[in-house]
Amino acid sequence: MKATAIAPANIAFIKYWGKKDPELRLPLNDSISMNLSNCLTTTTVEFSDKYQEDYFELLPYNHRKKLLEHNFAVNNEEKKRVIKHLNRIRKSAKLKCFAKIVSQNNFPASVGIASSASGFAALTVAGCAALNVDISEKELTILARIGSGSACRSIPDGFVEWKFGESSETSFAYSLYPNNYWNLRDLVVLVANQAKKVATSEGMGNVWSSPLMKKRIENVNNRIKKIKKALKDKDLSMLGEMIEEETDEMHEVMQTQKPSLIYRTKETLKIMQDVQSWRKEGLEVYYTIDAGPNVHLICQEKDEEKVIVKIKEFNSGLKFIVNKPARGATLTDQHLF
Ligand code: DP6
C-alpha cells in the first residue's frame, strides 16, 4: 500500500481567481494552463497498520539524503490541509488506516512558485494508487481540485483546460493538447526580495469586493476562445497578447479588492516593461504572472537563449528556471522512503 507520483506545477494562461463554492473549490470561470517540466513535486504515500497517526514530511530541495531523518518545518495549517485531503482519498477506498507521506519539490520552497498545484496533484495520484482506488483521470482531477483548485490542471498532459462546472462532478480538467504538441518555453524569473504573500485561498475569498470583477467575468470567455484558437494555430502573438491581457486584468482585480492584494513588486513591473521593449527589438516573448512577484516569460524554443541573455542583462543576479511543456502527474517506483 505504497505509491509514488511526480506532478508538475502549471502556469495559468487563463487564471482561476475566485470561487463559486470555496469548500468544493468550484471556480467562477474556466481556466487554461501549461504543465511545467522543471517545477516538480514528488510524493510517496504509504498506508500501513504500523503507523499510529498520519505523518507528513516535506523534504527540502536538494538535501534529500541528509534530511531524510529530519523533519522539515511544515506549518500546522499546511499539514491539516494535507491530512484533510488524505481523508478524502481514504473515504473513496473505504479504508481507515494511517499513512506516512513524504514530499519533495525540485525547486526551492522559499522562492514563491506555487507548489500547491504540483503538491496536491502528486498526493492525489500517489494516494489513490497506494490504495488501489481505481478511478479515471477525470475523477482524479475532480479529487485533486478539492485539495487545491489549480492542482486539477497538473494531472492531464501538456496544455490543459479546467471546466468550471455547475457541480463537483462537472468541474474537471482535461488535456487540450499533449506536451509535445508545441515546443514553447516558460522561463520563470525568480524575483528577489519578495514580500510575504497572502495565500491564494484567502486572497480569492474577497474577489467580489473589486469593482472590476463583474467585467472580468464578462471578458474571460472571449479570451478563452482566443487562447484556444491561438493554441490550435500555434499562434504565439495571439497567445501572448491574450496572456498578458489576462495577467494585467487579474492583478488589477487583486489590487482593487478590499483589502488590496499587491503581489507584483517594482522589479516585476520593470521586467514587464522591459518585455515590451524586447518585443519592439524583435524578440517575441510575453509575460504572465500568478499570485506572486515571479514573472513567467513565454517564448518559442528558438528564442530561449536570447531571452536568457536578456534576463542576465536585466539583472545578472536573478535566478530563473527553464521549463518545457510537460506531461501531467505520473506514477514512479522511485519511492522517497
Ligand atoms: C493565481 O489553486 O493555489 O495561481 O484552490 O485555494 O488552493 P486554492 O488556490 P490555488 O490558486 C491559484 C491561483 C492562481 C491562478 C491559477 O493558477 O489559475
Side-chain angles (χ1 to χ4, degrees):
M1 292 207 290
K2 182 174 183 174
T4 300
I6 303 180
N10 64 73
I11 179 64
F13 290 162
I14 292 289
K15 316 285 184 187
Y16 148 52
W17 192 251
K19 297 171 200 178
K20 205 161 44 190
D21 183 328
E23 273 300 300
L24 287 172
R25 289 191 155 80
L26 295 179
L28 289 169
N29 57 272
D30 297 343
S31 55
I32 294 182
S33 62
M34 180 178 98
N35 287 331
L36 304 179
S37 63
N38 221 356
C39 297
L40 306 170
T41 301
T42 304
T43 299
T44 300
V45 182
E46 182 182 42
F47 292 90
S48 167
D49 290 338
K50 70 184 175 208
Y51 301 123
Q52 307 302 309
E53 58 178 336
D54 289 320
Y55 176 87
F56 174 50
E57 188 179 0
L58 181 60
L59 300 178
Y61 158 73
N62 225 1
H63 293 90
R64 182 170 152 190
K65 292 228 162 57
K66 223 166 132 199
L67 281 137
L68 268 176
E69 303 103 58
H70 299 275
N71 258 336
F72 183 59
V74 181
N75 79 37
N76 236 352
E77 284 312 304
E78 282 171 32
K79 189 171 170 181
K80 271 197 219 148
R81 198 169 157 188
V82 166
I83 306 287
K84 214 170 157 186
H85 197 58
L86 199 66
N87 288 338
R88 295 181 188 114
I89 299 170
R90 265 191 287 248
K91 207 172 150 196
S92 352
K94 301 190 175 63
L95 181 106
K96 279 203 173 111
C97 92
F98 290 111
K100 175 172 171 175
I101 307 163
V102 177
S103 222
Q104 185 178 41
N105 297 326
N106 78 336
F107 50 91
S110 56
V111 298
I113 301 176
S115 54
S116 77
S118 51
F120 279 91
L123 176 63
T124 305
V125 171
C128 287
L131 289 181
N132 266 322
V133 182
D134 185 21
I135 58 175
S136 63
E137 178 184 278
K138 178 176 167 183
E139 288 165 317
L140 281 170
T141 72
I142 290 170
L143 192 53
R145 185 207 75 224
I146 307 173
S148 174
S150 56
C152 71
R153 297 189 312 234
S154 289
I155 291 181
D157 287 341
F159 300 85
V160 177
E161 179 171 28
W162 169 16
K163 301 302 281 178
F164 73 88
E166 295 296 343
S167 62
S168 193
E169 294 69 38
T170 51
S171 184
F172 62 91
Y174 70 101
S175 177
L176 288 167
Y177 298 101
N179 52 306
N180 59 4
Y181 171 72
W182 190 5
N183 215 354
L184 288 178
R185 291 289 180 272
D186 175 359
L187 285 83
V188 192
V189 182
L190 306 174
V191 174
N193 297 329
Q194 38 192 281
K196 173 120 185 65
K197 84 173 200 180
V198 175
T200 44
S201 307
E202 187 187 330
M204 252 186 248
N206 299 323
V207 280
W208 288 114
S209 64
S210 163
L212 307 179
M213 192 56 194
K214 193 165 166 270
K215 195 83 200 136
R216 163 161 175 71
I217 295 297
E218 286 165 21
N219 291 341
V220 81
N221 279 341
N222 196 24
R223 211 173 283 139
I224 286 176
K225 272 192 206 129
K226 289 193 178 155
I227 291 229
K228 281 188 167 170
K229 170 110 175 55
L231 286 173
K232 182 165 173 274
D233 300 343
K234 299 188 184 164
D235 177 350
L236 182 59
S237 18
M238 170 68 83
L239 181 79
E241 191 189 324
M242 287 304 113
I243 64 176
E244 289 194 352
E245 201 181 279
E246 171 68 2
T247 300
D248 295 346
E249 188 177 76
M250 180 181 73
H251 284 272
E252 279 157 22
V253 167
M254 289 166 158
Q255 231 158 300
T256 50
Q257 284 180 207
K258 287 169 197 65
S260 170
L261 275 178
I262 302 177
Y263 285 115
R264 297 175 297 184
T265 64
K266 259 196 204 151
E267 200 152 28
T268 313
L269 298 176
K270 179 82 180 58
I271 300 177
M272 288 163 59
Q273 265 176 344
D274 281 22
V275 164
Q276 288 176 349
S277 27
W278 300 344
R279 274 207 303 273
K280 284 204 186 105
E281 293 164 18
L283 178 59
E284 203 175 10
V285 53
Y286 300 88
Y287 65 78
T288 178
I289 302 155
D290 279 346
N294 298 323
V295 185
H296 294 246
L297 298 176
I298 308 292
C299 66
Q300 297 187 64
E301 180 190 13
K302 69 172 178 62
D303 290 328
E304 177 187 323
E305 286 308 320
K306 289 184 202 140
V307 174
I308 291 178
V309 169
K310 288 293 185 194
I311 298 170
K312 289 185 176 158
E313 275 171 17
F314 177 86
N315 177 344
S316 58
L318 280 184
K319 292 199 169 60
F320 56 90
I321 302 175
V322 181
N323 294 283
K324 300 176 184 179
R327 289 192 61 191
T330 44
L331 288 167
T332 164
D333 50 15
Q334 306 271 299
H335 301 308
L336 290 177
F337 63 92

